[in-house]
Amino acid sequence: MNVATLNDAQLKPYARLAEWIGEIFLAPPSAETVERMVAGSGRTLLGDVGEILNCRDAARQMEATLLAAVGQDLSARYVRLFDGVSGRRTVSLYESFYCGNGSRLFQTPVEEMRKILRRLDMSVRAGCHEPPDHLSIELAALAAALDKGDDDTALALQNRMEAWIPQMRARLDAQDQDGFYSSAAVVVTCLLNEIGAARSASSL
Amino acid sequence: MSHSKKSGPVRVSRRTFLSGTALSALGAAGLPLLTKGALAQTPADEILSGCHWGVFRARTEDGRAVEFTPWEEDPWPSPQLPGVLDSIYSPSRIKYPMVRRAWLENGPGADVAGRGTGDFVRVTWNEALELVARELVRVREETGPTSIYGGSYGWKSPGRFHNCQTLLRRLLKLNGGFTSSSGDYSTGAAQVILPYVVGSIEVYEQCTTWPNVAENTELMVFWGANPVNNSQISWQVADHGFAKMEAFRDAGGEVICIDPVRTETCDYFDGEWLAPRPQTDVAMMLGIAHTLYTEGLHDQEFLDRYTAGFDRFLPYLTGESDGVPKTAEWASAICGVPTETIEDLARRFASKRTMLALGYSTQRQHHGEQIHWMLITLASMLGQIGLPGGGYGLSYHYSSGGAPTHNSPTLPAITDTPGQPPAGGAAWLSAEGNATIPVSRFVETLLNPGKVIDFNGTKITLPEIKLAYWVGGNPFSHHQNRNEMVRAWQKLDTFIVHDFQWTATARHADIVLPATTSYERNDIEQVGDYALSHIVPMKKIIDPVFEARSDFDIFTGIAEQLGLGYEYTEGRTEMDWIRGFYEAAKLESRAKGMEMPIFDVFWDSNKPLAFPVTDEEQNFVRHASFRDDPLLNALGTASGKIEIYSTNIEKFGYDDCPPHPTWMEPIERLGGPTTTYPLHIASNHPIARLHSQLCGTELRESYAIAGREPCWMNPQDAAARGLVDGDLVRAFNDRGQILAGVMITDVIRPGVIRINEGGWYDPADPREAGSLCRYGDVNTLTVGISTSKLAQGNCGQTAMVEVEKFVGTPPEVDVFSALDG
């Protein structure tokens, strides 16, 4: 498939969902964000995400963990899982960790992602100091590709994420069984699946 | 539900949902993560810089460091260099400012037992800087500036500008003062006693050069000295000038290595290995001295002309004063080396041009002051001090001591006093502060505020510390008796740390600020601690990763919070300072008859600036001028001579540091009269890391056993415990317990195990006193006492333990981030 044959209506709508789920993995949630997600409308929408992406259990689990969260539990959970302080139990959100040179960060995937961002004529916003192979940025790039109707790039991004996210999810499942973030990672996988399915339908 | 069933046209409701309007309710209301406009590609580059492991070139691609290769003129590149690149991009990098949750929510001093449990809150830089500034002011106002400990110590990165420890003190001075520290952990005992003995600290001063040794020395004795291992690194940028000892090897010089471990140096020279019981060096030296004396092999003329007090030492040596002649037989019973070997050593030393090279570990033990004193006494009896290739050398042990010093100018450095001109000299030895404690006494200080201790002829009242601020160091590695330390740390209200990796120290902090590595900032440094052969531009290789900031930027931010930003920076940027240091060196260089290029030419040259070495320095002989004319070139001692008996020390009246070299039983030792545990630990310098630096890198895979720090063990000891190679073991004593992986080898004597210092502390339960260290931090087992009332140095080589096979399910090591755990 190429840009010319892409059915925008099939794929573009997933861009916002990619941005949204990506942002969840970008930083510990603020109290306001948690509050918004826990509110009735937020929970309804979470249910809708589960329906649309065919990941009802994961969405329900996200909702359940949100409701059970006290104070800054979710923020603390994020830090423990992703910010390196937990050593071996840290779950890396960087592609380089899984597909680079040992467990080093900033490896070839960073370079490849920089090229992709250039192709999209995009860059990471000022103030964000994450490398471009961070899960959130790869999802944001996917969203940008979908927005631009650049399905070659979207497909490339999808393929690369499908290559490393399973390893990330395995680590996450081990540390956050049925937790908010392991459930959110299921949503990521379902999103990629759903985009793939929509692409297949579009190409028929 | 299968995808085929779901992949029909997108429903309107879904499309509306996916338009994003609704999603904002789920939290996606922030700024877009990507913005329009691509960043330009950074061209590939090769950047020259320097580090503790030497000068190197960094290859970068699109702003990313992809390879570090040693500088082509490095004579002996360190195999540790690849680990440096690994550390920069470590998954355990500290990415954001963090505050321990209990501290943030409940204030200073909250849940201090919870330090190390990893419950942090990510905060913005502004929040972090404000918290730090406010806390510095609070503690200063409530309990006074001496309640703030700024004696932060450790192996910071090299560089004349980004000396984080100086930069810290600079800030704390602006805040009204602090408690500082004096001395160091490497040579804490020696550097205090040696000024009484030879008039200067010696341990960091040039010894007779390797070219001179190669030409003149007939017998080289490495006594606990291991330059082949320890010269991989330097405090500044390593020159690896110890490669010059190759000429001595090629000349077929005779080498004896006296060490419980057959060292890398012994292997290099294919030397003769003698393995006394650890901590018995003084007894062995006394046995040699006694033989020299009784056989008339000592140089009385030298003793008369160049030393003071041999006559007062002699009654002790002969036993006249205490009834115990320090014969070779007496020494043998203590050190385990056969009597005839000790006697033979005396004869060999006296019959040849002999150089006695003493290492640092020998004085990092209970009563460690005595070792260096006794070795110099022995060398004095041999009478070769000041002769080419003879005498003693206290700095061969590490950092290429003995590499000839080049004719280079002083390169100034930033000072801890704003407004003060940049200065040279050993910043870590300065004792500036409102109060100063010996560096290894920090834990004692925390546990005993108000206690009066002796130190080098003075009395020190230990201050009450409420806040400790640590930069460029890892006290949860280098300090002894870890469990005592963990308990002591609970006395602190606040512990602030700058670091770039989640070391145990960072994990035990209340406020953690992510610092850049030296590869993410510009600096300037000299090459070789002794050689001073080049000035090297330490050019920034990559931009700071994540939210890391340089220590200078962090402290500037705090100073700005205090309203003292300009006072801190003096209005100068990083490059302003670096340029200023270079220009000062250029002026001095001109006075020496050399013309350095202008700064921009130097900086853009991408190569180190070389300085020549004179014939005089090439053939430098330690104490030659003193020997030539002991009156005109008198030593800095009270008598101007080598003091074998010190009346100054006598006046102190210390029961643990008599006025002449003396054998005293340490608190515990192999074969000691009151020692219960059977195995001594040689907590040596690691082979594949720099203290604790690089432990959290891929280099660990080259040495870890069973995923833990290696424990070398003699086959006899292993057999007695039913251990085989690769076994996971528990090493323990009354102070603590660690896991380690056994390596059975005959390069270590029976009764001694080797577990290198610097393994990252990894307590199974940080809240539990005495918790098992899962990785193998040897300082969990070492004693926390001081060497003596004189130096108050650390005793990192004093530890007796038992080792047993670990039974049960091994706990996983948690402290490292890695793909495979």
Side-chain angles (χ1 to χ4, degrees):
Chain A
M1 182 177 291
N2 56 39
V3 174
T5 60
L6 180 68
N7 181 344
D8 289 357
Q10 295 290 349
L11 297 178
K12 270 190 175 178
Y14 292 103
R16 301 289 76 71
L17 208 44
E19 282 180 339
W20 165 73
I21 195 70
E23 200 166 319
I24 282 177
F25 284 98
L26 184 63
S30 65
E32 296 74 32
T33 300
V34 174
E35 207 172 284
R36 211 176 319 136
M37 286 195 286
V38 171
S41 57
R43 287 159 55 196
T44 304
L45 288 164
L46 206 49
D48 289 346
V49 169
E51 286 294 326
I52 290 165
L53 297 181
N54 192 25
C55 55
R56 296 173 198 82
D57 289 348
R60 269 197 292 273
Q61 195 57 36
M62 285 177 77
E63 183 186 351
T65 49
L66 275 171
L67 288 171
V70 178
Q72 293 187 13
D73 279 359
L74 207 55
S75 172
R77 191 79 193 130
Y78 182 98
V79 170
R80 277 184 188 276
L81 283 170
F82 304 123
D83 275 347
V85 66
S86 301
R88 181 185 56 81
R89 287 170 292 125
T90 295
V91 179
S92 182
L93 294 172
Y94 308 98
E95 184 183 347
S96 289
F97 183 86
Y98 305 97
C99 304
N101 180 359
S103 56
R104 273 186 203 172
L105 308 184
F106 291 85
Q107 297 305 296
T108 310
V110 164
E111 203 170 315
E112 292 167 353
M113 279 304 301
R114 282 183 180 149
K115 285 179 183 160
I116 286 173
L117 291 179
R118 283 190 196 103
R119 197 187 310 156
L120 292 168
D121 192 28
M122 303 293 280
S123 55
V124 179
R125 74 173 180 232
C128 174
H129 296 96
E130 292 292 350
D133 67 338
H134 187 285
L135 173 63
S136 303
I137 297 174
E138 293 201 357
L139 285 166
L142 175 63
L146 293 173
D147 279 339
K148 288 172 182 284
D150 181 353
D151 199 46
D152 283 350
T153 302
L155 185 59
L157 282 161
Q158 200 175 332
N159 287 340
R160 70 183 310 124
M161 281 191 274
E162 282 170 352
W164 68 272
I165 286 177
Q167 293 179 70
M168 183 205 78
R169 279 191 54 196
R171 289 175 73 94
L172 196 47
D173 286 344
Q175 301 303 326
D176 190 47
Q177 185 77 46
D178 297 327
F180 179 82
Y181 289 105
S182 60
S183 303
V186 173
V187 173
V188 173
T189 300
C190 290
L191 170 67
L192 297 177
N193 291 343
E194 201 65 23
I195 293 172
R199 179 180 293 107
S200 298
S202 161
S203 64
L204 288 175
Chain B
M1 185 183 291
S2 71
H3 288 305
S4 60
K5 287 180 182 175
K6 282 189 60 63
S7 57
V10 178
R11 297 191 308 262
V12 174
S13 60
R14 293 178 70 190
R15 186 173 297 175
T16 304
F17 178 83
L18 296 169
S19 70
T21 313
L23 287 168
S24 64
L26 284 180
L31 294 169
L33 189 48
L34 300 180
T35 56
K36 190 160 171 52
L39 294 177
Q41 183 170 356
T42 309
D45 204 353
E46 193 177 75
I47 302 168
L48 182 110
S49 193
C51 61
H52 288 310
W53 297 269
V55 180
F56 66 95
R57 294 188 188 278
R59 190 164 60 82
T60 63
E61 289 176 0
D62 201 7
R64 195 168 59 84
V66 295
E67 188 181 26
F68 282 8
T69 51
W71 178 40
E72 53 277 12
E73 291 184 35
D74 187 333
W76 196 314
S78 169
Q80 295 179 27
L81 188 61
V84 177
L85 183 55
D86 203 51
S87 71
I88 298 170
Y89 291 142
S90 166
S92 63
R93 279 291 297 241
I94 301 169
K95 301 188 288 185
Y96 298 94
M98 295 282 187
V99 182
R100 193 167 62 88
R101 177 199 294 273
W103 192 98
L104 188 66
E105 293 180 350
N106 301 313
D111 187 25
V112 289
R115 290 198 181 109
T117 56
D119 192 3
F120 285 95
V121 177
R122 195 198 279 191
V123 297
T124 67
W125 268 110
N126 282 346
E127 290 168 329
L129 297 174
E130 190 185 335
L131 284 171
V132 172
R134 202 189 312 149
E135 181 62 359
L136 287 172
V137 171
R138 180 192 74 83
V139 175
R140 189 238 300 150
E141 288 181 345
E142 288 183 5
T143 45
T146 55
S147 297
I148 298 172
Y149 184 68
S152 175
Y153 166 85
W155 266 70
K156 65 168 188 65
S157 301
R160 295 296 161 130
F161 175 59
H162 290 286
N163 181 338
C164 53
Q165 288 151 5
T166 300
L167 293 170
L168 168 64
R169 293 195 291 271
R170 188 177 174 89
L171 175 79
L172 296 180
K173 279 190 173 180
L174 284 176
N175 186 49
F178 62 102
T179 289
S180 191
S181 65
S182 65
D184 64 28
Y185 277 71
S186 296
T187 62
Q191 66 186 240
V192 173
I193 196 163
L194 287 171
Y196 294 103
V197 180
V198 285
S200 69
I201 67 170
E202 287 253 359
V203 281
Y204 302 132
E205 294 165 3
Q206 181 65 291
C207 44
T208 299
T209 59
W210 278 111
N212 189 281
V213 166
E215 197 172 328
N216 299 290
T217 302
E218 296 172 296
L219 174 59
M220 185 85 190
V221 180
F222 292 102
W223 201 311
N226 190 8
V228 170
N229 187 45
N230 301 331
S231 293
Q232 291 187 74
I233 49 100
S234 288
W235 181 249
Q236 301 185 147
V237 173
D239 61 314
H240 301 142
F242 73 114
K244 294 190 185 303
M245 68 189 180
E246 190 175 1
F248 177 68
R249 185 181 66 171
D250 293 347
E254 198 177 342
V255 169
I256 299 173
C257 293
I258 302 174
D259 201 300
V261 178
R262 183 179 167 87
T263 61
E264 295 73 28
T265 301
C266 195
D267 282 344
Y268 175 79
F269 285 107
D270 194 20
E272 179 181 344
W273 178 35
L274 298 174
R277 294 188 184 108
Q279 303 188 96
T280 63
D281 310 278
V282 170
M284 186 170 165
M285 290 174 190
L286 281 164
I288 297 170
H290 190 275
T291 305
L292 287 175
Y293 183 75
T294 54
E295 296 189 5
L297 299 173
H298 65 296
D299 188 337
Q300 190 63 50
E301 194 179 331
F302 181 92
L303 290 167
D304 291 343
R305 187 166 189 215
Y306 298 103
T307 73
F310 182 72
D311 56 329
R312 301 185 74 179
F313 165 73
L314 194 54
Y316 171 74
L317 184 66
T318 60
E320 186 187 329
S321 61
D322 62 357
V324 182
K326 310 305 176 299
T327 61
E329 189 178 7
W330 166 84
S332 174
I334 294 170
C335 72
V337 175
T339 303
E340 52 275 21
T341 302
I342 295 171
E343 292 169 342
D344 184 52
L345 285 174
R347 293 166 197 142
R348 289 165 74 185
F349 288 2
S351 66
K352 296 176 186 291
R353 182 59 57 86
T354 301
M355 176 63 76
L356 303 174
L358 186 59
Y360 296 166
S361 64
T362 57
Q363 52 86 64
R364 261 194 317 271
Q365 54 182 275
H366 199 197
H367 309 133
E369 295 84 356
Q370 304 303 312
I371 287 88
H372 280 60
W373 202 354
M374 187 57 220
L375 183 108
I376 291 171
T377 301
L378 189 55
S380 298
M381 293 176 72
L382 291 168
Q384 299 180 18
I385 294 171
L387 291 178
Y392 67 90
L394 306 184
S395 57
Y396 290 114
H397 176 59
Y398 119 107
S399 189
S400 298
T405 304
H406 290 235
N407 184 27
S408 56
T410 304
L411 184 65
I414 193 159
T415 70
D416 58 15
T417 306
Q420 190 182 72
W428 79 100
L429 292 177
S430 75
E432 291 203 40
N434 303 50
T436 300
I437 60 171
V439 70
S440 82
R441 296 299 90 207
F442 184 52
V443 163
E444 185 174 354
T445 302
L446 289 175
L447 292 172
N448 303 281
K451 178 183 174 184
V452 177
I453 65 165
D454 288 292
F455 173 58
N456 197 15
T458 65
K459 299 279 187 188
I460 294 176
T461 303
L462 301 178
E464 182 170 28
I465 304 292
K466 291 294 184 184
L467 182 156
Y469 203 137
W470 225 280
V471 290
N474 190 4
F476 279 77
S477 173
H478 71 237
H479 190 75
Q480 286 67 48
N481 197 345
R482 186 72 58 244
N483 289 309
E484 179 187 53
M485 176 181 177
V486 169
R487 284 191 294 276
W489 235 248
Q490 296 184 14
K491 302 282 185 181
L492 289 170
D493 282 355
T494 302
F495 181 40
I496 304 169
V497 170
H498 299 189
D499 213 323
F500 74 97
Q501 276 184 292
W502 280 108
T503 63
T505 297
R507 287 160 177 248
H508 282 81
D510 296 308
I511 301 176
V512 183
L513 303 179
T516 52
T517 63
S518 60
Y519 319 101
E520 297 156 65
R521 59 201 189 206
N522 291 299
D523 214 322
I524 189 169
E525 187 53 280
Q526 287 183 283
V527 178
D529 294 359
Y530 299 94
L532 303 172
S533 59
H534 299 73
I535 295 178
V536 61
M538 288 177 62
K539 298 179 82 165
K540 185 175 87 166
I541 295 161
I542 55 169
D543 286 330
V545 300
F546 303 108
E547 289 199 356
R549 293 185 181 181
S550 75
D551 300 284
F552 180 73
D553 287 343
I554 296 170
F555 290 130
T556 299
I558 297 166
E560 284 169 351
Q561 293 280 339
L562 298 170
L564 297 166
Y566 184 83
E567 286 81 352
Y568 189 80
T569 65
E570 299 179 47
R572 302 167 80 181
T573 66
E574 173 189 77
M575 288 310 295
D576 291 339
W577 284 101
I578 292 168
R579 182 184 293 269
F581 301 154
Y582 182 87
E583 295 296 349
K586 190 170 186 297
L587 279 178
E588 187 185 326
S589 172
R590 192 172 293 159
K592 286 172 173 259
M594 297 178 288
E595 192 61 47
M596 289 164 56
I598 61 169
F599 176 76
D600 291 334
V601 170
F602 158 75
W603 191 255
D604 295 338
S605 67
N606 215 27
K607 62 181 184 184
L609 179 63
F611 294 89
V613 60
T614 63
D615 288 345
E616 189 182 352
E617 291 294 350
Q618 181 81 3
N619 291 298
F620 174 80
V621 175
R622 183 83 192 165
H623 293 310
S625 59
F626 169 65
R627 189 178 185 107
D628 285 348
D629 191 334
L631 290 176
L632 196 61
N633 303 310
L635 301 179
T637 57
S639 61
K641 297 181 176 183
I642 296 168
E643 297 215 343
I644 295 172
Y645 190 99
S646 169
T647 51
N648 278 332
I649 291 176
E650 181 183 32
K651 285 174 195 164
F652 302 154
Y654 296 149
D655 56 359
D656 53 5
C657 189
H660 61 68
T662 303
W663 160 251
M664 287 170 284
E665 279 289 350
I667 188 169
E668 58 189 51
R669 72 165 174 90
L670 183 60
T674 59
T675 302
T676 51
Y677 287 97
L679 296 170
H680 174 93
I681 305 179
S683 54
N684 289 13
H685 286 301
I687 298 168
R689 62 173 186 255
L690 195 178
H691 297 310
S692 64
Q693 291 187 49
L694 308 184
C695 188
T697 73
E698 65 184 12
L699 294 177
R700 198 177 61 259
E701 291 164 22
S702 70
Y703 57 80
I705 295 174
R708 328 282 160 156
E709 190 67 14
C711 169
W712 295 14
M713 182 178 279
N714 183 275
Q716 286 180 34
D717 294 321
R721 290 163 178 79
L723 299 173
V724 298
D725 249 339
D727 270 350
L728 182 64
V729 294
R730 186 176 78 102
F732 62 96
N733 58 23
D734 295 340
R735 291 178 289 274
Q737 51 176 336
I738 68 173
L739 292 182
V742 162
M743 184 180 99
I744 299 173
T745 172
D746 59 5
V747 301
I748 191 163
R749 61 156 286 154
V752 181
I753 59 173
R754 174 178 180 173
I755 302 176
N756 294 328
E757 52 88 21
W760 283 14
Y761 175 56
D762 186 29
D765 181 356
R767 286 185 180 274
E768 180 196 330
S771 183
L772 177 72
C773 173
R774 293 169 292 193
Y775 177 68
D777 163 25
V778 74
N779 274 326
T780 304
L781 303 170
T782 53
V783 300
I785 61 167
S786 71
T787 53
S788 80
K789 295 183 178 76
L790 182 84
Q792 297 283 1
N794 78 87
C795 299
Q797 290 280 353
T798 297
M800 294 295 295
V801 295
E802 178 56 286
V803 171
E804 65 181 13
K805 186 167 181 168
F806 182 82
V807 180
T809 306
E812 290 189 278
V813 176
D814 246 11
V815 72
F816 307 111
S817 297
L819 193 55
D820 301 314

